Amino acid sequence: DAGVIQSPRHEVTEMGQEVTLRCKPISGHNSLFWYRQTMMRGLELLIYFNNNVPIDDSGMPEDRFSAKMPNASFSTLKIQPSEPRDSAVYFCASSRGVGGPQHFGDGTRLSIL
Amino acid sequence: GESVGLHLPTLSVQEGDNSIINCAYSNSASDYFIWYKQESGKGPQFIIDIRSNMDKRQGQRVTVLLNKTVKHLSLQIAATQPGDSAVYFCAESWGAQKLVFGQGTRLTINP
């Protein structure tokens, strides 16, 4: 069975550029989560969707961050403009129901120079 | 230089010994708990879960114990192997709401 698929695996870009991270959840899962992981702050929930609808975006750090889920099989997390402090590993996870066991992708390692 | 970051608790065990990783959770209303394992360069991987109507659940080489009285969760790994080296996270939720993750514990295996 295919797990959660994230792309790209690695992204290196200069500050000020737009960054788009992509996620394909597990088929049949109706909840999708975006996390950020850093040494300083650990694993932080940024936003989550249920049935393609954003439910809680209180973890999104600034207006520079936005996320969309146009359909049940695809979500994006966009940072515009990017800053060096956005450097982190970004994970996408999906689950069957919001409170169910979440299955994580292998993350996108983002470096903003 | 490296920024000051989280100081993860670290547990070092001898290969072949049993490991016990502990977690204190925050919400007495939590009714669902999960343990995750995160290896270097990978996402957290589901290990085992338990609901609040149970106090023990066993999987393959792993056992989760739940003590609701003191809000404590533990993960026991039998006959620890080098491949068990990772960071282990507990997570809790209540009322089918989102999971809340702990800070994690780093498990290192001594040969």
Side-chain angles (χ1 to χ4, degrees):
Chain A
D1 289 342
V4 174
I5 299 172
Q6 291 187 246
S7 64
R9 288 298 315 277
H10 304 274
E11 174 95 11
V12 181
T13 191
E14 292 186 345
M15 65 177 294
Q17 298 297 308
E18 178 179 290
V19 173
T20 300
L21 311 181
R22 297 173 173 80
C23 176
K24 177 178 169 54
I26 292 172
S27 178
H29 284 189
N30 62 338
S31 298
L32 184 140
F33 306 78
W34 282 103
Y35 290 88
R36 177 172 69 177
Q37 188 174 44
T38 61
M39 287 293 293
M40 287 288 291
R41 302 170 71 93
L43 192 64
E44 302 174 276
L45 176 64
L46 301 177
I47 185 171
Y48 72 95
F49 297 82
N50 194 46
N51 295 323
N52 311 339
V53 175
I55 302 301
D56 182 354
D57 65 354
S58 59
M60 297 284 262
E62 299 171 35
D63 291 345
R64 297 185 296 105
F65 286 68
S66 62
K68 294 182 179 180
M69 191 164 186
N71 57 62
S73 59
F74 184 66
S75 177
T76 58
L77 177 67
K78 188 172 293 188
I79 308 172
Q80 167 64 18
S82 58
E83 296 183 5
R85 60 195 168 116
D86 302 331
S87 298
V89 181
Y90 290 80
F91 288 105
C92 176
S94 70
S95 64
R96 205 183 304 272
V98 172
Q102 294 175 23
H103 297 265
F104 284 74
D106 280 337
T108 295
R109 183 172 295 276
L110 177 65
S111 297
I112 308 297
L113 305 177
Chain B
E2 192 174 56
S3 300
V4 174
L6 291 175
H7 293 285
L8 292 181
T10 299
L11 175 66
S12 294
V13 298
Q14 290 294 125
E15 184 177 348
D17 287 353
N18 297 336
S19 302
I20 300 176
I21 302 171
N22 296 305
C23 178
Y25 62 92
S26 59
N27 190 337
S28 57
S30 291
D31 55 12
Y32 181 60
F33 306 87
I34 302 180
W35 279 100
Y36 284 89
K37 171 186 181 183
Q38 187 176 20
E39 297 175 274
S40 181
K42 295 186 177 181
Q45 178 186 10
F46 173 89
I47 302 174
I48 191 168
D49 59 0
I50 189 168
R51 298 202 176 272
S52 58
N53 61 349
M54 303 174 69
D55 53 22
K56 180 180 180 178
R57 189 162 187 225
Q58 288 184 287
Q60 187 175 14
R61 276 202 313 120
V62 295
T63 300
V64 56
L65 298 178
L66 174 63
N67 185 331
K68 296 182 286 294
T69 302
V70 295
K71 293 191 290 186
H72 184 266
L73 192 68
S74 68
L75 178 70
Q76 300 179 2
I77 306 173
T80 311
Q81 303 169 359
D84 295 327
S85 292
V87 176
Y88 289 81
F89 293 94
C90 65
E92 62 183 301
S93 75
W94 50 95
Q97 299 301 308
K98 62 185 180 182
L99 290 175
V100 175
F101 284 81
Q103 294 294 347
T105 297
R106 186 179 304 280
L107 176 65
T108 61
I109 313 302
N110 301 318

